[in-house]
Amino acid sequence: MISTSNWLAHAESPLRGTIRVPGDKSISHRAMMLGALADGVTRVSGFLEGEDTLATAAAFRAMGVRIEEDGPGRRIVHGVGIDGLKAPAAPIDCGNAGTGMRLLAGILAGQSFDSVLIGDASLTRRPMRRVTEPLASMGARIQTAEGGTPPLRVSGGQSLVGTRHELSVASAQVKSALLLAGLYARGTTTVREPHPTRDYTERMLAALGWPVEFSPGFAQLSGDHRLRARDIAVPSDFSSAAFFLVAASIVPGSDLVLEAVGMNPRRTGLLEALRRMGARIEVRNAREEGGEPVADLHVVHAPLQGAEIPEAIVPDMIDEFPVLFVAASAASGVTVVRGAAELRVKESDRIAVMARGLRDMGARIEETPDGAVIHGGAPLGAAEVEAHDDHRIAMSFVVAGQRSNAPVAVRGCATVATSFPGFFDLARTAGMGLSRI
Ligand code: S3P
């Protein structure tokens, strides 16, 4: 870990001005993957220069794909076609990225060569049977470590067959892994989800000319087609904007605009949750860019009240719960989160880690197996909190520090660079109190 991984967050000033957060992580991963598998050259703009997505780009370079850097956020991917990948010389390191590893597992299951997927300490603890088991039902051979965790050892040369999958967890990563394996399968691959999840894989496949049928909670495709390269414009990541939406909502005097934020409805559940809590967030200039809805978000401080978060919107805000817990701690009244057990298997156990840190700051939170009950309004104060090498936990504690009556030391912030390079400087530019210790 680098020495600058511990930060001190403190109340400083209202958040003001107009900012733009970096490109969407989910779309950036998929742009590298599908650009690599397409026939022709894909120019990507708005690519997230984060460690997770750089690891995915490196994975395809290691499999013989030429990817040129054409300035910040710009990549030129020289696609090798659906059957053009070459055996990597070494294990593929996905770093901290669950999305990278799970989606790659689907693609690699259909190759003629063997491969191994490894990751960092956090990724090496995460459950992979949710992809390896349904992939096995399609004929894939993937070995996990004992306990179903990485490394993943993928045996090439299997002939895959399309199958029907009824997922028990709502997971875009699992759905995407199966659809990507389905590109290499004989027959039809069908995925049904218990709740609709982000549909970027389906949208991008369709945009690159692969026939795919999809509607919320359902996706279906068959093998034996080709992808045609097409330029991809990546919008700003709603999940990165989320930290600023909450910070500006809870710091008095704030008045902030976030430009060109991705507004795919499968991602914007936090807006609904914050509005229920009384936040003042205006969606301006809604438009489409690169086939995705985007808008400018104008957020003004407002006193928040606790709310029950409807279970139906949990998948639409699955990455935003750490920062929602912060908003709930700063609100008056009680916030109840249910049906969010998936939070326990993210980059960290996000329910336990947030509850511990916020409690250390003075908040009143009860953990439940699938969520939390947060009694808002207790004053937040000095603490030393641990981010457990989880980027979203680190940034959420920085936001909590903006409402604390004394500085909060956040330990383990190096992984912020996985999804939000430049967060430190942008947070300070917007008015957050933040220094390195
Ligand atoms: C993602 C899906 C979600 C999300 C992750 C990105 C994706 O994970 O938490 O940050 O790009 O498909 P799950 O599919 O595990 O819910």
Side-chain angles (χ1 to χ4, degrees):
M1 284 287 135
I2 50 174
S3 59
T4 49
S5 66
N6 299 331
W7 296 351
L8 195 69
H10 49 90
E12 189 157 293
S13 54
L15 281 82
R16 289 189 173 267
T18 298
I19 60 170
R20 189 181 280 242
V21 300
D24 188 277
K25 179 155 72 74
S26 294
I27 299 178
S28 295
H29 279 299
R30 288 158 172 85
M32 285 301 111
M33 294 178 180
L34 297 188
L37 297 177
D39 297 313
V41 173
T42 296
R43 286 171 193 275
V44 182
S45 57
F47 176 71
L48 172 65
E49 304 274 0
E51 288 170 4
D52 278 13
T53 43
L54 293 176
T56 291
F60 283 92
R61 282 200 180 108
M63 291 189 282
V65 181
R66 209 172 119 221
I67 301 173
E68 288 176 83
E69 290 172 23
D70 189 28
R74 306 188 80 89
R75 291 295 183 280
I76 304 173
V77 185
H78 296 263
V80 294
I82 194 77
D83 294 317
L85 295 180
K86 300 215 166 58
I92 292 173
D93 190 350
C94 301
N96 191 248
T99 306
M101 184 174 283
R102 292 184 176 133
L103 271 59
L104 269 167
I107 293 173
L108 292 173
Q111 304 304 317
S112 57
F113 51 82
D114 295 348
S115 52
V116 180
L117 293 169
I118 58 171
D120 71 3
S122 149
L123 183 53
T124 301
R125 286 192 292 268
R126 298 184 67 187
M128 292 295 151
R129 285 198 183 122
R130 53 180 57 203
V131 287
T132 58
E133 285 177 353
L135 286 171
S137 77
M138 299 174 72
R141 281 187 53 206
I142 307 178
Q143 224 186 319
T144 65
E146 223 176 280
T149 51
L152 299 184
R153 293 174 197 285
V154 187
S155 301
Q158 312 302 312
S159 44
L160 304 185
V161 283
T163 41
R164 278 170 208 257
H165 305 273
E166 300 272 346
L167 303 189
S168 52
V169 282
S171 164
Q173 292 178 359
V174 176
K175 170 179 64 176
S176 300
L178 299 172
L179 293 175
L180 292 170
L183 304 183
Y184 295 94
R186 211 168 0 97
T188 304
T189 300
T190 308
V191 186
R192 283 181 203 279
E193 316 175 273
H195 292 284
T197 64
R198 64 193 73 185
D199 55 1
Y200 299 127
T201 305
E202 299 90 306
R203 282 170 178 249
M204 204 180 285
L205 283 168
L208 301 191
W210 196 286
V212 47
E213 273 178 58
F214 61 104
S215 56
F218 171 84
Q220 179 168 291
L221 53 71
S222 1
D224 207 19
H225 297 282
R226 299 199 68 86
L227 293 165
R228 283 188 305 275
R230 198 177 139 175
D231 294 352
I232 297 171
V234 182
S236 292
D237 199 321
F238 184 90
S239 295
S240 296
F243 302 105
F244 291 90
L245 293 177
V246 170
S249 292
I250 66 174
V251 175
S254 296
D255 184 333
L256 187 72
V257 174
L258 291 144
E259 276 182 339
V261 180
M263 294 290 285
N264 182 305
R266 299 278 75 85
R267 296 292 301 284
T268 51
L270 180 75
L271 268 189
E272 156 86 17
L274 287 176
R275 286 204 178 117
R276 282 173 178 251
M277 297 172 76
R280 281 178 59 197
I281 302 172
E282 190 197 345
V283 176
R284 287 182 179 171
N285 198 11
R287 58 206 184 265
E288 203 164 280
E289 280 178 13
E292 280 288 329
V294 300
D296 305 328
L297 300 179
H298 179 206
V299 50
V300 176
H301 165 260
L304 301 184
Q305 299 93 45
E308 297 231 351
I309 308 303
E311 278 192 45
I313 67 168
V314 166
D316 297 344
M317 56 179 292
I318 193 65
D319 292 330
E320 278 60 79
F321 282 96
V323 80
L324 175 87
F325 282 20
V326 175
S329 301
S332 59
V334 181
T335 296
V336 182
V337 173
R338 288 192 200 91
E342 274 296 295
L343 297 177
R344 296 203 179 270
V345 291
K346 294 291 179 189
E347 286 83 331
S348 67
D349 176 342
R350 287 182 169 164
I351 297 175
V353 167
M354 284 309 296
R356 204 174 310 140
L358 286 170
R359 240 185 250 134
D360 287 349
M361 293 177 66
R364 291 198 300 135
I365 303 188
E366 293 149 33
E367 267 186 61
T368 60
D370 66 343
V373 180
I374 302 146
H375 302 266
L380 302 180
E384 192 172 304
V385 295
E386 176 54 62
H388 289 269
D389 291 329
D390 181 333
H391 54 134
R392 300 202 199 283
I393 299 287
M395 291 184 274
S396 297
F397 284 143
V398 167
V399 174
Q402 307 311 307
R403 262 293 280 257
S404 173
N405 53 31
V408 175
V410 188
R411 302 178 62 82
C413 297
T415 43
V416 166
T418 61
S419 69
F420 201 154
F423 171 79
F424 186 93
D425 291 337
L426 195 61
R428 284 168 53 99
T429 304
M432 289 198 221
L434 188 58
S435 53
R436 296 183 205 275
I437 46 176

